[in-house]
Every structure is written in structure tokens, then in C-alpha cells.
């Protein structure tokens, strides 16, 4: 694995960990290298209410900055839209309300992507 790949993966794992700390649901990391020209990794997680979505968004932003110093280059959406995307170039974090996640089925859309077992990755 080259340094750029490992940096992207490390960032994706930090995003997932930050989401986990605020009890985001069904957190997954997809390796979309070679499948997507947009990013290398997608972190997908969901929340069950507007306050929960806001908390996930806040904690991912805050947690990633404190752990890595990385800030998203762009974000799209707000908790009220029930789908927020944080763009870190190598990593895109999708924070969705459970209904939106079921409707848009990103895991199926990116079905060729390899899922990363992030919870077992040692620091």
C-alpha cells in the first residue's frame, strides 16, 4: 500500500470511529478505488432523528479535526435535508437518516466496492 492509500484509509477509519463515538448506526467503509473517480473511500452511516444527525455531523467534524487535523474541503446538505456529505477528497462521509439510506441504498449502488473491516484495524 502506498502512502496516499494508507492516508486515505486511515482518514476513513478516523471518520468511522468519530461516528461510532456518537452512536451512529450501521457504519460502513467502502473502498471505491478503481470504481469511482470522485474518491477512494466512502464512509456511510445513519442516524435515527434530526438531533442525532446533527450530533453525528458535529462529532465527525470535531473528532477528525482533533485526531488528524483534516477538515472537509466541502460539505453538502444539512441535517434537515436528512443527508449530509463531507468531502475530504480521498474520503467522502455520507451521514443519512435511516429512511434516506434505505431509499438510496448506497451500498447497493457501489456494490462492486470492497467493504473495509475498520473496527478490527489496529492503531
Amino acid at each position: 500500500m502506498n502512502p496516499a492509500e494508507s492516508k486515505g484509509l486511515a482518514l476513513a477509519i478516523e471518520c468511522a470511529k468519530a461516528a461510532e463515538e456518537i452512536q451512529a448506526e450501521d457504519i460502513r467503509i467502502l473502498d471505491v478505488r478503481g470504481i469511482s473517480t470522485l474518491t477512494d473511500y466512502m464512509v456511510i452511516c445513519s442516524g435515527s432523528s434530526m438531533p442525532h444527525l446533527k450530533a453525528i455531523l458535529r462529532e465527525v467534524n470535531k473528532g477528525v479535526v482533533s485526531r488528524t487535523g483534516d477538515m472537509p474541503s466541502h460539505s453538502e446538505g444539512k441535517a434537515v435535508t436528512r443527508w449530509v456529505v463531507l468531502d475530504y477528497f480521498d474520503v467522502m462521509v455520507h451521514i443519512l437518516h435511516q429512511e434516506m439510506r434505505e431509499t438510496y441504498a448506497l451500498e447497493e449502488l457501489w456494490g462492486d466496492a470492497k467493504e473495509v473491516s475498520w473496527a478490527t484495524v489496529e492503531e
Side-chain angles (χ1 to χ4, degrees):
M1 182 179 302
N2 74 41
E5 288 174 3
S6 63
K7 182 181 182 325
L9 178 57
L11 179 58
I13 291 168
E14 290 304 327
C15 291
K17 286 180 179 178
E20 180 183 48
E21 288 175 3
I22 197 69
Q23 299 176 349
E25 300 164 359
D26 195 16
I27 305 164
R28 298 171 124 188
I29 298 175
L30 302 180
D31 181 346
V32 294
R33 291 175 295 159
I35 299 171
S36 171
T37 58
L38 298 174
T39 192
D40 291 340
Y41 296 94
M42 288 192 189
V43 177
I44 305 168
C45 64
S46 41
S48 54
S49 66
M50 292 301 161
H52 192 202
L53 292 173
K54 287 178 185 176
I56 296 167
L57 175 60
R58 181 185 63 243
E59 291 305 312
V60 169
N61 269 318
K62 189 170 82 175
V64 171
V65 167
S66 71
R67 289 181 172 126
T68 69
D70 290 306
M71 295 179 62
S73 64
H74 182 74
S75 66
E76 188 70 36
K78 297 183 190 252
V80 71
T81 64
R82 301 185 306 154
W83 187 349
V84 180
V85 179
L86 300 174
D87 184 354
Y88 291 90
F89 291 118
D90 294 335
V91 178
M92 290 185 110
V93 180
H94 295 266
I95 303 167
L96 298 96
H97 189 279
Q98 189 57 44
E99 284 178 4
M100 297 292 273
R101 188 163 179 179
E102 290 169 9
T103 299
Y104 289 97
L106 295 179
E107 292 91 342
E108 290 177 31
L109 179 66
W110 296 102
D112 292 340
K114 186 175 107 181
E115 186 165 355
V116 174
S117 299
W118 64 274
T120 59
V121 175
E122 295 296 320
E123 293 188 34

